[in-house]
Amino acid sequence: MSIIKLLLLILCLAAIFFYCYSIYAAIAFFTQPQTIDPAFHPPVTILKPICGVDRDAEENLASFCQQDYPEYQIIFAVRDRQDPAIVVIEKIIQQFPDVDIQLLVSDRIIGANLKVSNLANAVTAAKHEILLIADSDIRVGKDYLQRVIQPLKDDKVGVVTCLYRSLAQGWVTSLEALGIATGFHPSVLVSNQLEQIKFAFGSTIVIRKQVLEAIGGFGAIADYLADDFQLGYLPAQAGYQVVLSNYIVDHILATSSLTEVIQRQLRWVRCIRVSRPWGYLGLLFTYGTVTSLLLFLVTKGSILGWTGLLITWIMRLLMGWIVGVQMLKDPVTKQNFWLIPVRDLMHFAIWCYGFVGNAITWRGQQLRLTQGGKLVLLE
């Protein structure tokens, strides 16, 4: 057997093991008992950084105002007084007069990441010790706040975060949502099973004020692209636990063109590459769809090639179904399940391209990623 064939076979076996372990990690996570203490409901301040109007913006933002929770504050933070989202927020304030809601407009900038500047401006008006940060395109149920706050009963827990279902329209964004449910989240569940996660997601970040202050406040992450990752990573480095909640929020993906999706994916993979280079290389062991196809072509359709292709693809599809459909209850995955191999081939091409270049485009800004994931504004 040639070295190339042997290498491809090893990569196929590694991918099969990853798919199997992902299934185990998902089942172990979602079947563990979760207790809700109705007597534990410390007051919470929700920080919502806003820039522009997302798809179904009013419904998304209103879902945070309908919580079955005794005391919470919501701060909507906007940079530009001409932002069209202000009209939506003002309407929500009128709809929920009994909820403590504040609209804060400030153009103060503390770093290259404008979202973090929004958060830094918002936190100055926070009344409560526990902060909850959630992106503007997230939608939740009425039991959300009560459930995601539960891990904070343990004083060792500094951060709580959530997985998410990406709800999409159109085939382009559906492929992106499919990748999140059947590619990204399985990796997260594996990481959580092996050593408990040490990062967070913008879908939900619950963090104590004292923990935020311990890592240097929002100023410590103001120049990072992956601010959500840092809000989990830095507290973990400081000795606090990061807990993955079993609550799954809805991520409302706006309709995007193929170019926009590729730019977004490229931004993510380049951020991973500069932040965690070994982790980026390790993604190669998860692309079994691609490596098994290459093995099939290199062996010219031999028994080995056919066997590797069939077993790898069956396990890949099985993992996608169990994690995406059975565990995450993701409707996009259920509807577009058969497109998983297509998504894998596209993402592999983006992963390869992500090895070169550090320039990214984000919300109209031209930026450059430096070592560690920091941002530098290009002239």
Side-chain angles (χ1 to χ4, degrees), residues 111-116 119 135 200 202 220-231 263-275 358-363 365 367-376:
N113 187 323
L114 299 182
K115 172 188 167 184
V116 176
L119 290 170
D135 289 341
I221 62 169
D223 289 318
Y224 285 93
L225 173 62
D227 51 274
D228 50 356
F229 174 87
Q230 295 295 331
L231 281 175
Q263 284 185 343
R264 187 157 57 232
Q265 294 287 327
L266 193 57
R267 184 171 71 236
W268 289 345
V269 297
R270 282 178 172 163
C271 182
I272 295 172
R273 193 200 79 212
V274 299
S275 302
N358 291 319
I360 64 167
T361 302
W362 188 32
R363 289 195 178 273
Q365 287 184 299
L367 303 159
R368 179 168 57 86
L369 280 166
T370 61
Q371 187 175 10
K374 283 194 172 183
L375 294 166
V376 175

Side-chain angles (χ1 to χ4, degrees), residues 30 163 165 181 185 248 322-330:
F30 285 104
L163 299 176
R165 284 180 290 258
H185 283 341
I248 305 169
I322 291 176
V323 177
V325 179
Q326 297 295 321
M327 299 299 164
L328 294 175
K329 312 296 183 186
D330 188 339

Side-chain angles (χ1 to χ4, degrees), residues 141-159:
K142 293 182 179 181
D143 60 340
Y144 163 74
L145 202 50
Q146 181 68 71
R147 287 179 57 184
V148 299
I149 221 73
Q150 290 298 310
L152 292 186
K153 291 175 65 177
D154 185 347
D155 292 336
K156 296 178 182 178
V157 175
V159 177

Side-chain angles (χ1 to χ4, degrees), residues 246-320:
N246 71 336
Y247 192 95
I248 305 169
V249 302
D250 288 333
H251 172 219
I252 313 302
L253 266 175
T255 302
S256 303
S257 67
L258 181 60
T259 300
E260 289 171 334
V261 169
I262 290 175
Q263 284 185 343
R264 187 157 57 232
Q265 294 287 327
L266 193 57
R267 184 171 71 236
W268 289 345
V269 297
R270 282 178 172 163
C271 182
I272 295 172
R273 193 200 79 212
V274 299
S275 302
R276 294 176 291 150
W278 288 110
Y280 189 75
L281 286 172
L283 289 174
L284 179 60
F285 295 99
T286 69
Y287 288 117
T289 308
V290 179
T291 53
S292 62
L293 183 59
L294 290 174
L295 179 64
F296 175 79
L297 294 174
V298 168
T299 60
K300 299 179 181 179
S302 68
I303 295 177
L304 175 63
W306 272 112
T307 304
L309 185 72
L310 288 174
I311 294 176
T312 305
W313 282 45
I314 288 171
M315 290 309 303
R316 172 68 179 102
L317 292 172
L318 182 62
M319 183 268 277

Side-chain angles (χ1 to χ4, degrees), residues 79-155:
R79 290 190 59 255
D80 187 354
R81 293 188 179 278
Q82 304 304 315
D83 194 311
I86 290 178
V87 175
V88 178
I89 296 168
E90 289 176 340
K91 183 178 179 180
I92 287 174
I93 292 174
Q94 292 177 353
Q95 288 177 343
F96 300 96
D98 296 332
V99 180
D100 184 359
I101 305 175
Q102 181 177 346
L103 169 61
L104 190 149
V105 183
S106 174
D107 60 1
R108 182 176 71 105
I109 296 175
I110 65 170
N113 187 323
L114 299 182
K115 172 188 167 184
V116 176
S117 292
N118 254 358
L119 290 170
N121 295 333
V123 78
T124 59
K127 298 177 181 178
H128 307 306
E129 170 63 24
I130 296 175
L131 307 174
L132 187 150
I133 303 163
D135 289 341
S136 58
D137 54 3
I138 298 299
R139 186 185 302 163
V140 298
K142 293 182 179 181
D143 60 340
Y144 163 74
L145 202 50
Q146 181 68 71
R147 287 179 57 184
V148 299
I149 221 73
Q150 290 298 310
L152 292 186
K153 291 175 65 177
D154 185 347
D155 292 336

Side-chain angles (χ1 to χ4, degrees), residues 161-181:
T161 193
C162 290
L163 299 176
Y164 51 95
R165 284 180 290 258
S166 292
L167 307 183
Q169 294 178 337
W171 72 271
V172 175
T173 45
S174 291
L175 278 178
E176 184 176 17
L178 187 65
I180 292 170

